[in-house]
Amino acid sequence: MNEVPNVLTKTKPATGATLLSTAKSSKKADWSFLKSALPYVLFFVAWEAFSRLNMRIEMFNPLFLPAPSTLVHDGWALAKTGVILDSIMASSGRILAGFAIGSVAAVMLAVLISKFATLERWVSPILTLISPIPSLALLPLFIIWFGIGEFPKIMLIAWTTFVPVLVNTVDGFKSVPSTLIRSALSLGASQRQVFTRVMIPSAVPNLLIGAQISLGLSFSALIVSEMMGADSGLGYMIVDARNYFKVTNMFVAIILIGIEYSIFAMLLKLLERRVLGWRKGGMGQAVEKAKPTRG
């Protein structure tokens, strides 16, 4: 009878150890954030130093490469007019709509291809023929077919997203180990359960890889479409600044494109970590780091 309280007492976590563990995890998260932010800081510091040096010795016209501090000052003045916010909202809406449409269509077609081999024999040669065509070459056709407006821009982004997601998702379905499918069937799983419980989870990593590849291509298609036949967006900002030779405005728009892409890429990485948190591997997991011994 006296052993039960002792066992319960021994299994009770120590408050000090919990606080120490929380503090260590907090410091680790802060250090991880600093390491990820350090390249950006060094890049802009080097840019600022080079621009200041160029202002003194004038290797070329300083107006062609303004310092980041100048861009911040002029960008803040431009933001007060509302142009930056309107441009970011317009570009974000287009990239989200086009990326979503292209990804959903690619996944649906990949599912059909994985189920029907005949469909793959018909679709694969067509994709091989038209997939290498760059989006810049298709934009004039999209404008002729669909007119000048939001629809051709979104369709161009959707097409640019469609091909990489489709190819990688189909490859993910094909790379499912046959032993997993046989094991599920031997345990009494139906065809639908095999597809939803085995094949789809196995194809998700490839799907996310295709999404990451297509994200950069989609941003390229977005900027190209906004530079031709648009009256809003970050691409339009670049064209408008070029027409009036506003170099700082061009750099502001270019930096905003990079920041927006980085945010979208970070969100995809977070989604990948959340969905594929079970997957661990690589050299970092295979080789254990030696801990220093205290003498």
Side-chain angles (χ1 to χ4, degrees):
M1 294 296 292
N2 295 332
E3 294 180 357
V4 176
N6 294 335
V7 173
L8 293 176
T9 303
K10 290 179 182 179
T11 57
K12 185 178 180 180
T15 306
T18 304
L19 293 175
L20 183 60
S21 176
T22 304
K24 287 182 178 179
S25 61
S26 177
K27 289 181 179 179
K28 186 177 180 180
D30 294 340
W31 176 241
S32 177
F33 174 77
L34 290 175
K35 285 196 299 183
S36 61
L38 187 59
Y40 298 100
V41 175
L42 292 177
F43 172 76
F44 284 105
V45 167
W47 182 358
E48 180 77 21
F50 182 79
S51 297
R52 295 291 181 181
L53 178 64
N54 184 51
M55 289 178 185
R56 293 184 179 181
I57 63 177
E58 292 190 0
M59 293 180 287
F60 53 88
N61 193 336
L63 292 176
F64 295 163
L65 187 64
S69 57
T70 305
L71 297 180
V72 170
H73 179 270
D74 293 353
W76 178 249
L78 190 63
K80 291 180 179 179
T81 64
V83 173
I84 289 181
L85 181 60
D86 293 341
S87 300
I88 291 175
M89 294 298 293
S91 296
S92 299
R94 289 165 185 151
I95 196 71
L96 286 173
F99 193 81
I101 292 172
S103 299
V104 171
V107 171
M108 292 175 64
L109 183 57
V111 170
L112 294 175
I113 288 175
S114 66
K115 281 182 169 293
F116 305 104
T118 305
L119 182 61
E120 182 181 7
R121 286 196 297 269
W122 283 95
V123 172
S124 181
I126 298 174
L127 286 176
T128 304
L129 177 66
I130 62 178
S131 59
I133 301 174
S135 58
L136 181 59
L138 294 175
L139 180 60
L141 285 176
F142 276 55
I143 293 176
I144 293 172
W145 291 342
F146 306 115
I148 297 176
E150 295 298 317
F151 190 72
K153 299 177 182 61
I154 293 174
M155 287 296 100
L156 184 68
I157 297 169
W159 168 251
T160 309
T161 305
F162 175 80
V163 177
V165 175
L166 174 63
V167 172
N168 283 273
T169 306
V170 170
D171 184 66
F173 282 128
K174 289 183 177 180
S175 62
V176 178
S178 58
T179 53
L180 292 179
I181 299 176
R182 293 195 191 99
S183 299
L185 292 174
S186 64
L187 292 173
S190 62
Q191 292 289 339
R192 181 179 179 182
Q193 289 175 329
V194 169
F195 189 79
T196 57
R197 301 290 182 87
V198 178
M199 296 190 66
I200 290 182
S202 299
V204 166
N206 291 66
L207 190 157
L208 292 175
I209 291 173
Q212 292 172 5
I213 294 172
S214 63
L215 182 62
L217 300 175
S218 300
F219 263 86
S220 300
L222 169 70
I223 302 307
V224 167
S225 63
E226 289 181 343
M227 294 177 75
M228 297 177 62
D231 57 358
S232 63
L234 296 174
Y236 173 76
M237 275 186 64
I238 297 175
V239 174
D240 184 68
R242 180 202 63 187
N243 293 336
Y244 295 98
F245 201 71
K246 297 179 180 179
V247 180
T248 55
N249 288 11
M250 276 193 281
F251 273 98
V252 168
I254 290 169
I255 291 173
L256 288 175
I257 292 168
I259 292 174
E260 187 171 0
Y261 170 77
S262 299
I263 292 173
F264 277 89
M266 181 185 66
L267 292 176
L268 271 179
K269 284 290 185 182
L270 291 176
L271 177 64
E272 181 182 7
R273 290 177 185 175
R274 188 172 184 84
V275 174
L276 304 178
W278 49 268
R279 191 177 64 170
K280 293 182 179 180
M283 185 64 70
Q285 299 292 331
V287 180
E288 296 183 358
K289 295 181 180 179
K291 296 182 179 180
T293 57
R294 297 180 180 179

